[in-house]
Amino acid sequence: MSAPYPPSLTALIEEFEKMPGIGHKSAVRLAFHVMNVPEEKARRFAEAIMTARESVKLCGCCQNLTDTEVCPICSDPRRDRSLICVVESPKDLAAMEKTREYNGLYHVLHGCLSPIDGVGPDDIKIKELMPRLTGEVAEVIMATNPTVEGEATAMYLSRLIKPMGIKTTRIAHGIPVGGDIEFADEMTLARAMEGRREI
Amino acid sequence: MSAPYPPSLTALIEEFEKMPGIGHKSAVRLAFHVMNVPEEKARRFAEAIMTARESVKLCGCCQNLTDTEVCPICSDPRRDRSLICVVESPKDLAAMEKTREYNGLYHVLHGCLSPIDGVGPDDIKIKELMPRLTGEVAEVIMATNPTVEGEATAMYLSRLIKPMGIKTTRIAHGIPVGGDIEFADEMTLARAMEGRREI
């Protein structure tokens, strides 16, 4: 019996299968989609991949992904330059921006300290953060994830930054809005108690 | 507030979002995957798309997808040329090949008759089937899906082909192997009764 699909289609299916969360059936479905759309649309898709790879780089200042030398947030004169919010990834930054609550600057670490995985201070964008901490900066907000690694990264940075006379803060952890106390895990509940505020 | 991702990355996310079964979150995950793999791998992915689009065409004989003029099945001298199995799609053909039970040829209709969706006999590969029905062909097996449209297509073809003195058959429908009679739907059960054989 011969292979069910022509080699170039099989190659495309295999490329899709390499992607996270895409199994064999999804890969076949996606590859067939590419075969069925007008050729011009398939070309646009292929070009979008290469264009994104070629033009997206890291902002020279905050290390966020950008098409320009300095990202739109860092170059926006309306942003509060006295605040820097430290996040692990561009996705975290995007989530933060969606709240429309924060008007300061960011710094994207591209990871967090994880000795187990061999990720030390030199492997994430810490050395790019330090020169930004000039007199202009009043507060650095640690918005790393509430995981062991995220906490350790926040603590590590805080110990580096505090001696420079800059306030360091950590975002609050607690019961998510709309969440159920009954089903909250112990750690979250403990954090929620710890972070209680007078009303 | 600015857009969370640079335009070229947003464009790539939008391309992924156009694919079937890919929502916004998956599209972001896939686009970030493309950004994170080595550039060479991203290029290979983009090229796989265009190569598949450019080199895959329909077999001049059975209409299956192929990289060559005539597909490997049609040009295989070991296949039984007296049998033609009619399927709706290349995926159905691939499923049939996986069984390793069938050694005849195929014909891929690329759809089935569906007056509601405006799909008539001229919109699927029926006119490509007719010239194949030479003296060499003894039997045409209808392996269209057991849906209203699939059944109608099988009936339509059978009425065209039978007068040519060629046997037409329909694949059996019934309880799937390992399936539970208790939970089988009425239609399947009725078909299973209908298709009963002496043991």
Side-chain angles (χ1 to χ4, degrees):
Chain A
M1 299 292 150
S2 3
Y5 302 121
S8 63
L9 181 53
T10 304
L12 180 58
I13 292 170
E14 283 166 2
E15 287 295 328
F16 275 116
E17 270 183 310
K18 288 177 193 163
M19 312 199 91
I22 304 291
H24 180 67
K25 284 196 177 179
S26 297
V28 171
R29 195 186 62 228
L30 295 174
F32 267 87
H33 171 79
V34 169
M35 299 307 296
N36 289 330
V37 296
E39 176 138 10
E40 182 212 326
K41 288 196 177 175
R43 186 175 302 279
R44 206 184 305 151
F45 178 42
E47 282 168 359
I49 291 167
M50 290 321 297
T51 306
R53 277 305 305 232
E54 280 156 15
S55 67
V56 175
K57 44 191 172 282
L58 302 186
C59 168
C61 182
C62 75
Q63 310 297 315
N64 188 23
L65 301 176
T66 176
D67 275 348
T68 47
E69 278 309 310
V70 173
C71 80
I73 293 176
C74 285
S75 51
D76 184 343
R78 290 162 303 175
R79 307 286 302 214
D80 182 350
R81 313 193 87 75
S82 72
L83 287 175
I84 294 182
C85 175
V86 176
V87 292
E88 291 180 22
S89 76
K91 287 180 197 177
D92 296 341
L93 186 156
M96 204 65 85
E97 279 295 279
K98 261 198 217 147
T99 67
R100 298 171 173 269
E101 286 291 326
Y102 178 69
N103 194 37
L105 303 180
Y106 290 94
H107 190 81
V108 183
L109 294 175
H110 291 275
C112 56
L113 298 177
S114 176
I116 284 181
D117 302 315
V119 182
D122 292 340
D123 301 314
I124 60 177
K125 306 289 182 186
I126 290 177
K127 57 187 174 303
E128 288 81 359
L129 171 62
M130 303 324 279
R132 297 183 61 193
L133 303 176
T134 56
E136 205 178 31
V137 178
E139 182 179 347
V140 178
I141 304 163
M142 304 298 167
T144 51
N145 284 316
T147 56
V148 173
E149 293 80 10
E151 294 293 351
T153 307
M155 285 303 295
Y156 178 89
L157 287 177
S158 175
R159 278 188 206 138
L160 277 183
I161 298 167
K162 258 190 186 159
M164 303 167 79
I166 297 170
K167 189 163 131 188
T168 63
T169 55
R170 182 87 176 100
I171 53 162
H173 299 309
I175 308 291
V177 177
D180 201 319
I181 291 175
E182 185 180 347
F183 301 117
D185 65 285
E186 287 165 48
M187 288 296 290
T188 302
L189 211 49
R191 293 298 200 85
M193 286 297 284
E194 228 175 274
R196 68 188 181 277
R197 299 164 76 176
E198 207 170 286
I199 50 172
Chain B
M1 299 288 150
S2 4
Y5 302 120
S8 62
L9 181 53
T10 304
L12 180 57
I13 292 170
E14 283 167 2
E15 286 296 327
F16 275 116
E17 270 184 309
K18 286 177 195 164
M19 312 198 90
I22 305 291
H24 181 68
K25 284 196 176 178
S26 297
V28 171
R29 194 185 66 228
L30 296 174
F32 268 86
H33 172 79
V34 169
M35 300 306 296
N36 289 330
V37 296
E39 175 139 9
E40 182 213 326
K41 288 196 176 174
R43 186 176 302 279
R44 206 183 308 149
F45 178 42
E47 282 168 0
I49 292 167
M50 288 321 296
T51 306
R53 277 304 307 230
E54 280 156 16
S55 67
V56 174
K57 43 191 171 283
L58 301 187
C59 168
C61 182
C62 75
Q63 310 298 314
N64 188 23
L65 301 176
T66 177
D67 275 348
T68 46
E69 278 308 310
V70 173
C71 80
I73 294 176
C74 286
S75 50
D76 185 343
R78 291 163 303 177
R79 308 284 306 214
D80 182 350
R81 313 194 87 76
S82 72
L83 288 175
I84 294 182
C85 174
V86 176
V87 293
E88 290 180 22
S89 75
K91 288 180 197 175
D92 295 342
L93 187 157
M96 204 64 85
E97 279 296 278
K98 262 198 218 145
T99 68
R100 298 170 172 272
E101 286 291 327
Y102 178 70
N103 194 37
L105 303 180
Y106 291 94
H107 191 82
V108 184
L109 294 174
H110 292 275
C112 55
L113 298 177
S114 177
I116 284 183
D117 302 316
V119 182
D122 291 341
D123 301 313
I124 60 179
K125 306 289 182 186
I126 291 177
K127 58 188 170 306
E128 289 81 358
L129 172 62
M130 302 325 278
R132 298 183 60 193
L133 304 176
T134 56
E136 203 178 31
V137 178
E139 181 179 348
V140 178
I141 304 163
M142 304 295 166
T144 51
N145 284 316
T147 56
V148 174
E149 293 82 8
E151 295 293 352
T153 308
M155 285 303 294
Y156 179 89
L157 287 177
S158 175
R159 276 187 209 140
L160 277 183
I161 297 166
K162 259 189 185 162
M164 303 167 77
I166 297 170
K167 189 165 132 187
T168 62
T169 55
R170 182 86 177 102
I171 52 164
H173 299 308
I175 308 292
V177 177
D180 202 319
I181 291 176
E182 184 181 350
F183 301 119
D185 65 286
E186 288 165 49
M187 287 296 290
T188 302
L189 212 49
R191 293 298 201 85
M193 285 298 282
E194 226 174 274
R196 68 188 180 277
R197 300 165 73 176
E198 206 170 287
I199 48 172

